């Protein structure tokens, strides 16, 4: 492992835009690699885009039906022997704490020893992923690689707010997705994990374009400010409500579903302040979770918020959706949330949580028909595993 530690140190010391070059040199020296390629998932989670100095110089590959996509989807190494060339291509997922970033592809001499060095190469992938997260503060290289098209300014603002697209811990696995990925308006989500709690926010800000993005930005940061000040869930809602009302005087508001999970017990505290809704799948049955609706944030001055409670069990799957999902009509006028959403949740029961939101939104587009969706669509999926035996 000394040589792998040397790669870790080189990545930490390297300039933010040179991480792939450092990994390429290391893989060439250690394993005789003659080609190394890093691809990151695009914002729409449809393609894997090459990281390179000149954006879009290399064609993207499909996230669904390519060797790289196989590694990305399975989250396992995918090895392809090229036969006539005597080479083997190794495609390795780059994933950090459950957030699926992309795939590192390595062309190697075809040797029986390839399997034996996979753990080392996976370690390099993990180190590379961590350094990319740090490097994104200082370079646009990786952000540019993620876009298959230009983002609208509102979408640029919204993506900058997000904590990631997935998160995993012993107690849970979480995934989320937004559409239209390159032109989102007011929908957003946020999460934070401490030693004892997971706090999850699903948000739908009113309005269009920059106005919606600015409103959501204020709401997200007001909730973060309150959470980081140590306020309880009702206090977080109250502070954000006051901040939004002070700015807009009731002309604009934000619908929010706030949840706080106790990791040791599965007890959940909820403030339902608007339109995002939740469904629970337990033992194969899908049921909507009904909460007492309270006023959206910023609608009136001095609103009072009262938390409600429920409990999740190991094996439960929760799905959260904005009105741009459950209110979408079919060609015959039936809303997606009436029956189709439950069918979609059942159909995707074998997928891991990070893949469920994209699958549900794909099904939603088919359900809606050829007409493009006229509202943001947000889906968040949470699988609850429960704490390790004996954890407190």
């Amino acid at each position: 492992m000394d040589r792998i530690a040397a790669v870790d140190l080189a990545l930490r010391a390297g300039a933010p835009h040179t991480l792939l070059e450092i990994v390429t040199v290391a893989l060439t020296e250690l394993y005789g690699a003659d080609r190394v390629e890093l691809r990151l998932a695009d914002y729409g989670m449809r393609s894997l885009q090459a990281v390179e100095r000149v954006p879009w110089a290399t064609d993207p590959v499909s996230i669904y039906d390519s060797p790289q996509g196989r590694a990305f989807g399975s989250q396992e190494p995918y090895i392809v022997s090229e036969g006539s060339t005597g080479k083997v291509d190794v495609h390795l997922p780059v994933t950090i704490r459950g957030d699926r970033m992309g795939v590192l592809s390595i062309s190697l001499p075809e040797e029986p020893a390839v399997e034996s060095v996979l753990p080392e190469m996976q370690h390099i992938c993990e180190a590379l992923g961590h350094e990319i997260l740090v490097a994104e503060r200082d370079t646009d290289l990786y952000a540019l690689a993620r876009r298959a098209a230009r983002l609208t300014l509102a979408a640029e603002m919204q993506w900058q707010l997000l904590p990631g697209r997935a998160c995993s811990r012993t107690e849970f696995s979480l995934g989320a997705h937004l559409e239209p990925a390159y032109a989102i308006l007011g929908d957003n989500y946020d999460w934070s994990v401490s030693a004892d709690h997971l706090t999850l926010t699903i948000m739908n800000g009113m309005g269009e374009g920059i106005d919606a993005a600015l409103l959501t930005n204020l709401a997200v940061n007001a909730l973060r400010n309150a959470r980081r000040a140590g306020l309880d869930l009702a206090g977080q809602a109250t502070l954000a409500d006051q901040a939004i009302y002070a700015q807009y005087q009731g002309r604009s508001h934000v619908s929010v579903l706030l949840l706080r999970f106790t990791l040791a017990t599965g007890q959940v505290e909820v403030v339902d302040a608007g339109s995002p809704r939740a469904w629970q799948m337990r033992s194969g049955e899908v049921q909507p979770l009904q909460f007492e609706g309270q006023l959206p944030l910023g609608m009136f001055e001095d609103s009072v918020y009262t938390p409600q409670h429920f409990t999740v069990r190991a094996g439960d799957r929760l799905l959260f959706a904005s009105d741009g999902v459950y209110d979408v009509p079919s060609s015959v006028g039936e809303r997606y949330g009436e029956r189709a959403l439950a069918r979609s949740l059942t159909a995707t029961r074998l997928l891991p949580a990070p893949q469920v939101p994209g699958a549900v939104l794909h099904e939603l587009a088919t359900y809606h028909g050829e007409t493009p969706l006229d509202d943001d669509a947000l889906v968040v999926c949470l699988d609850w595993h429960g704490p390790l035996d004996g954890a407190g």
Side-chain angles (χ1 to χ4, degrees):
M1 290 298 293
D2 288 346
R3 59 185 187 176
I4 304 303
V7 179
D8 286 349
L9 290 173
L11 285 170
R12 293 177 190 177
H17 62 280
T18 64
L19 300 181
L20 180 57
E21 296 172 18
I22 292 168
V23 166
T24 299
V25 169
L27 292 172
T28 301
E29 292 178 351
L30 294 176
Y31 313 115
D34 59 16
R35 183 180 64 84
V36 179
E37 181 182 71
L38 174 64
R39 290 181 178 268
L40 299 179
D42 87 301
Y43 288 109
M45 296 294 279
R46 297 180 182 88
S47 63
L48 291 163
Q49 310 281 133
V51 175
E52 49 198 345
R53 295 291 181 90
V54 181
W56 310 298
T58 302
D59 290 338
V61 300
S62 170
I63 215 165
Y64 303 110
D65 56 5
S66 64
Q68 297 91 332
R70 288 281 296 272
F72 186 84
S74 68
Q75 288 295 287
E76 296 288 344
Y78 185 67
I79 300 173
V80 180
S81 296
E82 296 186 7
S84 59
T85 64
K87 299 286 185 180
V88 59
D89 289 334
V90 181
H91 304 286
L92 299 162
V94 179
T95 300
I96 303 302
R97 295 191 178 94
D99 197 358
R100 303 177 177 204
M101 300 172 66
V103 174
L104 186 70
S105 298
I106 310 161
S107 181
L108 298 167
E110 188 168 8
E111 298 177 0
V114 168
E115 294 280 353
S116 67
V117 298
L118 279 179
E120 290 183 353
M121 291 191 289
Q122 287 174 302
H123 183 98
I124 291 173
C125 284
E126 184 175 355
L128 174 61
H130 278 290
E131 291 307 313
I132 288 173
L133 291 180
V134 176
E136 286 187 302
R137 301 176 307 176
D138 303 314
T139 179
D140 287 336
L141 178 65
Y142 309 104
L144 285 172
R146 288 191 175 93
R147 54 196 70 194
R150 182 175 178 177
L151 294 174
T152 65
L153 178 54
E156 187 88 51
M157 295 169 66
Q158 296 289 52
W159 280 107
Q160 290 299 315
L161 284 177
L162 299 178
R165 287 188 286 201
C167 178
S168 292
R169 271 188 45 163
T170 299
E171 300 88 352
F172 67 86
S173 181
L174 182 63
H177 191 55
L178 284 159
E179 287 289 352
Y182 291 86
I184 50 176
L185 302 173
D187 285 7
N188 210 281
Y189 59 86
D190 194 24
W191 59 65
S192 177
V193 188
S194 68
D196 302 314
H197 297 97
L198 162 67
T199 303
L200 176 61
T201 306
I202 296 91
M203 185 176 301
N204 182 3
M206 68 177 293
E208 297 181 356
I210 299 300
D211 290 338
L214 287 170
L215 174 61
T216 302
N217 201 304
L218 174 60
V220 168
N221 282 290
L223 287 167
R224 288 175 177 172
N225 179 256
R227 185 182 71 231
R228 292 164 183 170
L231 299 185
D232 60 15
L233 208 64
Q236 293 171 33
T238 298
L239 187 146
D241 172 70
Q242 292 170 351
I244 296 167
Y245 186 86
Q247 182 67 29
Y248 292 97
Q249 298 296 305
R251 296 185 303 273
S252 296
H253 58 266
V254 179
S255 297
V256 174
L257 187 62
L258 280 170
L259 304 102
R260 189 169 185 255
F261 295 77
T262 301
L263 299 178
T265 64
Q267 294 179 337
V268 189
E269 186 179 17
V270 184
V271 172
D272 183 352
S275 61
R277 295 184 184 172
W279 287 258
Q280 180 185 65
M281 184 166 69
R282 174 176 288 173
S283 301
E285 289 192 16
V286 178
Q287 297 290 338
L289 291 174
Q290 304 289 352
F291 307 116
E292 181 182 346
Q294 302 176 64
L295 293 172
L297 305 185
M299 180 172 282
F300 298 105
E301 190 174 13
D302 298 327
S303 298
V304 176
Y305 295 95
T306 303
Q308 302 161 70
H309 301 85
F310 72 103
T311 302
V312 287
R313 302 175 187 168
D316 283 356
R317 168 167 285 181
L318 303 181
L319 187 114
F320 308 94
S322 65
D323 58 0
V325 176
Y326 63 77
D327 261 351
V328 168
S330 69
S331 58
V332 297
E334 182 182 27
R335 302 293 175 181
Y336 187 68
E338 292 178 25
R339 289 183 295 180
L341 190 147
R343 291 197 299 267
S344 181
L345 192 52
T346 301
T348 57
R349 64 190 181 279
L350 299 181
L351 292 179
Q355 289 184 275
V356 172
V360 171
L361 289 171
H362 179 76
E363 167 61 24
L364 175 69
T366 303
Y367 182 85
H368 184 58
E370 296 181 1
T371 306
L373 298 173
D374 57 5
D375 193 7
D376 288 0
L378 164 62
V379 175
V380 178
C381 181
L382 171 69
D383 282 349
W384 188 257
H385 310 310
L388 288 172
D389 291 343

